[in-house]
Amino acid sequence: MIRIVLFTLLYLILGLYVVQGFKTITKNPWIVYLYIGLSVLVLLNFLYQFVIVEGSGGTLTRVKTYAFSFFVILLVFKLVTVIFLFSEDIFRFLIAIYNKFFGEAKVFNMPDRRKFISTLALGIAAIPFGALLYGMYKGKYNFKVLKYDLEYDDLPDSFNGYQITQISDVHSGSFDNREKIEYAINLINEQKSDVLLFTGDMVNNKAEEMYPWKDLFSTLEAKDGKFSVLGNHDYGDYIQWPSDEAKKENLKDLKKIQKEMGFHLLLNDSEYITKGEDKIALVGVENWGKGGFKKAGDLHKAASKINNDDFKILLSHDPSHWEQKVIKDPYHYHLTLSGHTHGMQFGIEIPGWIKWSPVKWRYTYWAGIYKEMGQFINVNRGFGFLGYPGRVGIWPEITVITLKKKKLT
């Protein structure tokens, strides 16, 4: 509650400041009234959802998510504007000090706000404002198929050209457009991959979130099957349950749903995919994450039925597991597939030029292909979204990886 009060005060104070900017650039009072009305409406909706509406065991509902997002978007708009206006006010104040002591009239007189500065401030603030709104309207379903070829000396001959589709972080509880999800499912099937691998976070909190989408995800196809692991959100750790038994039943239901959709859930376990006399090992661990995230993953148990010289593909939801455990393990894991970061759903990516997101300050490996100690990892940017119901610059991803036998030179 204290945080809500502080955010509200900040929102109101910054809002009053921004009003001065609008008054500087226009004499039309209706533009000012429109801004004030919008700000008040967004604030009241935010307070209503987070103060008056009854909670749902800690669940961040879709309505609350949008209320919070609109509040934050306007808050960002205000902050960016005020940075410029406040900087100008410091300059105006210094001019007034100078006039008081060194001016001819010896009067403390602040010059008027400059229209150019207010216009610049509001114009620049409109960029993230518009981008975040676009991210909510279209960006969250702007699915991209990203393709990679990975070469290995020791890839079994029969698997040369073997194609993998990876998806991750579905977060079905956030979906609000069935047509867009149908499009994405069709896009996955169009890849006609040999195997489909899902790397965790099927839901936000509850298994029931998957019920409206179960029929669609059941239509996913791959020649050699569909395999999955659990992500941190799948365990239901982030909401209040009426009992421990209810929480356990939720996880049991989610496992059942995955089975009914045709996914083989690897819980610290492994499976071989064979072609003739050749084989590759799929290894799946439960969630293991650094910091406060669940550490249920047991790599040694998961690999107990395979051999060190097998070609190995590891499914592990959190890329920090690869960084802290996998690449140092005595077993050589040729390819690890992860997700979890979502690329923070916000950033800038221009292939070959720049790849940046604030999430890089938290995760060393946060999006795309990385290689360390002769081992690869792909960190999928996520299929769905969580928290902010949108994506800006970091689009929802369907990864297609083709394994290739390295040619002798």
Side-chain angles (χ1 to χ4, degrees):
M1 179 59 73
I2 293 176
R3 282 185 294 181
I4 290 177
V5 172
L6 292 175
F7 272 116
T8 300
L9 288 174
L10 178 64
Y11 184 91
L12 291 171
I13 291 169
L14 294 179
L16 291 173
Y17 222 111
V18 175
V19 166
Q20 304 306 313
F22 276 108
K23 286 183 175 180
T24 302
I25 67 171
T26 180
K27 293 181 180 179
N28 186 344
W30 287 106
I31 293 179
V32 178
Y33 296 155
L34 180 63
Y35 163 74
I36 293 174
L38 178 63
S39 292
V40 170
L41 185 64
V42 167
L43 176 60
L44 291 178
N45 185 42
F46 170 75
L47 294 176
Y48 175 75
Q49 293 297 333
F50 285 88
V51 177
I52 298 176
V53 174
E54 290 287 333
S56 343
T59 304
L60 188 61
T61 64
R62 192 176 299 154
V63 175
K64 283 187 174 182
T65 297
Y66 275 90
F68 179 74
S69 296
F70 283 127
F71 178 83
V72 170
I73 288 171
L74 262 181
L75 187 61
V76 169
F77 175 81
K78 297 172 191 291
L79 279 169
V80 174
T81 303
V82 168
I83 288 172
F84 284 87
L85 298 184
F86 186 70
S87 299
E88 184 189 26
D89 283 350
I90 293 175
F91 179 76
R92 292 169 63 218
F93 180 76
L94 293 174
I95 293 294
I97 295 276
Y98 179 87
N99 290 338
K100 173 67 176 176
F101 292 101
F102 303 105
E104 293 182 4
K106 304 294 184 184
V107 179
F108 185 85
N109 182 28
M110 291 183 67
D112 294 335
R113 294 183 183 277
R114 289 173 291 177
K115 184 176 181 179
F116 168 75
I117 296 297
S118 293
T119 303
L120 180 66
L122 293 167
I124 291 178
I127 296 174
F129 178 80
L132 289 167
L133 286 178
Y134 174 83
M136 292 171 65
Y137 175 60
K138 277 205 166 181
K140 62 187 176 185
Y141 294 127
N142 186 23
F143 294 99
K144 301 294 182 184
V145 177
L146 301 185
K147 298 186 177 184
Y148 304 99
D149 292 343
L150 299 182
E151 293 186 336
Y152 297 91
D153 291 319
D154 56 348
L155 180 69
D157 292 338
S158 298
F159 287 89
N160 185 30
Y162 195 75
Q163 186 170 292
I164 299 164
T165 290
Q166 179 201 1
I167 58 173
S168 191
D169 299 88
V170 165
H171 290 288
S172 56
S174 299
F175 293 156
D176 54 15
N177 190 318
R178 187 174 180 86
E179 183 180 341
K180 295 295 185 182
I181 302 306
E182 286 179 355
Y183 165 77
I185 295 296
N186 290 333
L187 196 58
I188 294 171
N189 284 334
E190 285 173 9
Q191 308 312 311
K192 299 188 182 304
S193 288
D194 295 290
V195 68
L196 175 64
L197 305 178
F198 171 67
T199 46
D201 278 1
M202 185 70 76
V203 297
N204 296 343
N205 297 293
K206 296 181 177 181
E208 65 187 41
E209 297 167 12
M210 197 63 200
Y211 291 160
W213 313 101
K214 179 181 168 184
D215 61 327
L216 284 180
F217 281 82
S218 296
T219 64
L220 288 170
E221 299 175 346
K223 301 169 190 172
D224 293 332
K226 302 180 288 189
F227 297 83
S228 62
V229 293
L230 296 176
N232 55 300
H233 279 267
D234 293 324
Y235 296 91
D237 287 342
Y238 304 121
I239 59 172
Q240 296 174 359
W241 295 94
S243 65
D244 288 341
E245 188 60 33
K247 183 179 179 182
K248 290 177 183 176
E249 282 298 314
N250 178 73
L251 183 56
K252 191 182 297 183
D253 288 343
L254 182 61
K255 292 176 182 178
K256 181 182 177 184
I257 289 170
Q258 292 216 28
K259 184 177 181 180
E260 290 172 347
M261 292 190 300
F263 283 91
H264 183 166
L265 186 59
L266 297 173
L267 301 170
N268 293 325
D269 202 357
S270 62
E271 285 285 337
Y272 281 114
I273 296 177
T274 60
K275 287 186 177 296
E277 296 182 357
D278 291 334
K279 63 183 179 180
I280 60 174
L282 292 182
V283 183
V285 295
E286 295 197 47
N287 191 78
W288 193 104
K290 69 178 180 180
F293 290 106
K294 182 182 285 290
K295 292 179 173 61
D298 187 332
L299 187 59
H300 297 293
K301 180 182 177 183
S304 61
K305 297 187 294 187
I306 64 172
N307 303 311
N308 191 19
D309 59 352
D310 288 329
F311 187 93
K312 295 176 283 298
I313 298 174
L314 174 67
L315 282 67
S316 180
H317 177 68
D318 191 318
S320 64
H321 186 222
W322 187 72
E323 179 183 9
Q324 297 192 6
K325 296 290 183 179
V326 177
I327 57 177
K328 302 169 187 174
D329 192 84
Y331 272 25
H332 180 89
Y333 289 89
H334 298 75
L335 172 62
T336 297
L337 301 176
S338 298
H340 182 62
T341 71
H342 298 207
M344 205 173 171
Q345 296 169 212
F346 178 86
I348 302 171
E349 286 197 85
I350 304 174
W353 289 84
I354 185 172
K355 184 175 79 173
W356 177 89
S357 168
V359 79
K360 69 176 294 183
W361 298 322
R362 165 77 174 168
Y363 291 96
T364 306
Y365 310 100
W366 59 273
I369 296 285
Y370 302 89
K371 185 178 182 181
E372 297 286 351
M373 298 174 63
Q375 302 171 79
F376 289 98
I377 186 174
N378 180 63
V379 185
N380 184 285
R381 293 158 181 82
F383 183 91
F385 49 91
L386 182 69
Y388 164 60
R391 285 178 175 265
V392 178
I394 306 293
W395 312 120
E397 175 181 344
I398 298 162
T399 312
V400 177
I401 296 174
T402 301
L403 306 179
K404 293 192 173 181
K405 184 89 171 184
K406 187 177 287 186
K407 295 179 181 178
L408 298 176
T409 55

